[in-house]
Amino acid sequence: QVVGPGDKILEVPSQGTLRLSAGLTTHEGAVVSTKGGILKATRTGQLYLEGRQKRYIPVEGDVVVGVIVDKHSENFTVDIGGPFNAVLPQLSFEGATRRNRPNIHPGDLVYARVVQAHRDTDPVLSCVDAAGRAAGFGHLKGGMVLSISSALARQLLGSPTAPVLEALGSGLQFEMAVGLNGRVWLTAGTAATCVLVANAISESEFKTPQQVRTMVARLLSRIG
């Protein structure tokens, strides 16, 4: 369903839990859109609007790849590509204490989740899950960063596995962290592998699964 800014999507249900994400809010008992896009739902039932906006709007629960821009006594300032920088408390890492803080500096990358996203305050991040475990979050060392659309980021994080990741995984070894803010961190055994994976992901967005498999096979043939 394609909607425009201010469109009424549905009435707020009287029972159950309503889960909204990017581009949706509630107003006078109804769910309305705050931008134009395609209405979709995740496999857990969370509604969101898939658009092509370049600036990321933080939403609680999102995973993001951020760049540390400043370090303070109690927290880090992180660029997540949104209207405002985010705050990442230094104790929001697995095992972090006041005596044992993460060795992270401006310019470093982190993989984090958004735990607070209010319109009038800076977003707040965390590098642990709800149980206090790292669960893949934390300092991202080395590698490279690729910029993609938010729509492609959701495809890469979705289930079943995106065709491009399935095709690449059958022939290459690499690690990645995908942020809904349109950033993908990649690392592999060689720089050439990183570049190949980045090119394949970038070229996959508007291709059919068969076209993606053909494209990846062609790229893999170049490196033997």
Side-chain angles (χ1 to χ4, degrees):
Q1 180 183 353
V2 178
V3 300
D7 283 359
K8 180 178 176 180
I9 308 299
L10 54 84
E11 298 289 343
V12 174
S14 58
Q15 296 181 340
T17 301
L18 179 65
R19 303 184 63 211
L20 304 178
S21 188
L24 298 173
T25 189
T26 55
H27 178 68
E28 296 181 348
V31 176
V32 297
S33 57
T34 60
K35 64 180 183 180
I38 302 173
L39 180 65
K40 293 192 174 183
T42 67
R43 54 195 174 106
T44 60
Q46 185 178 42
L47 297 174
Y48 68 94
L49 280 186
E50 183 178 277
R52 299 289 171 183
Q53 75 277 7
K54 293 184 178 180
R55 172 156 286 184
Y56 168 67
I57 305 300
V59 175
E60 289 184 16
D62 280 1
V63 291
V64 295
V65 174
V67 182
I68 304 295
V69 295
D70 206 354
K71 182 177 182 179
H72 307 282
S73 59
E74 298 297 327
N75 56 62
F76 300 101
T77 301
V78 187
D79 169 20
I80 58 173
F84 307 101
N85 288 331
V87 175
L88 174 60
Q90 291 200 26
L91 298 182
S92 292
F93 291 79
E94 185 178 36
T97 66
R98 295 198 174 277
R99 291 180 176 272
N100 179 33
R101 301 194 181 206
N103 185 28
I104 297 177
H105 305 281
D108 288 348
L109 298 172
V110 291
Y111 192 45
R113 63 188 184 96
V114 179
V115 294
Q116 291 182 31
H118 301 299
R119 183 174 59 183
D120 301 322
T121 59
D122 292 337
V124 179
L125 308 178
S126 175
C127 284
V128 293
D129 63 11
R133 300 186 181 91
F137 298 115
H139 185 191
L140 299 174
K141 301 176 182 178
M144 63 175 287
V145 176
L146 169 69
S147 294
I148 61 175
S149 70
S150 59
L152 180 54
R154 287 189 180 276
Q155 290 178 28
L156 297 177
L157 286 168
S159 179
T161 303
V164 66
L165 297 183
E166 189 173 21
L168 287 168
S170 65
L172 296 172
Q173 290 187 337
F174 60 95
E175 293 182 51
M176 66 186 300
V178 181
L180 288 171
N181 57 335
R183 293 175 182 164
V184 179
W185 171 81
L186 296 166
T187 187
T190 66
T193 299
C194 272
V195 172
L196 186 152
V197 172
N199 288 340
I201 290 173
S202 296
E203 294 179 25
S204 70
E205 183 167 8
F206 301 108
K207 287 182 167 60
T208 65
Q210 182 57 50
Q211 289 174 329
V212 167
R213 288 189 285 270
T214 301
M215 179 262 295
V216 171
R218 185 182 70 250
L219 292 174
L220 291 175
S221 69
R222 297 176 182 175
I223 62 172

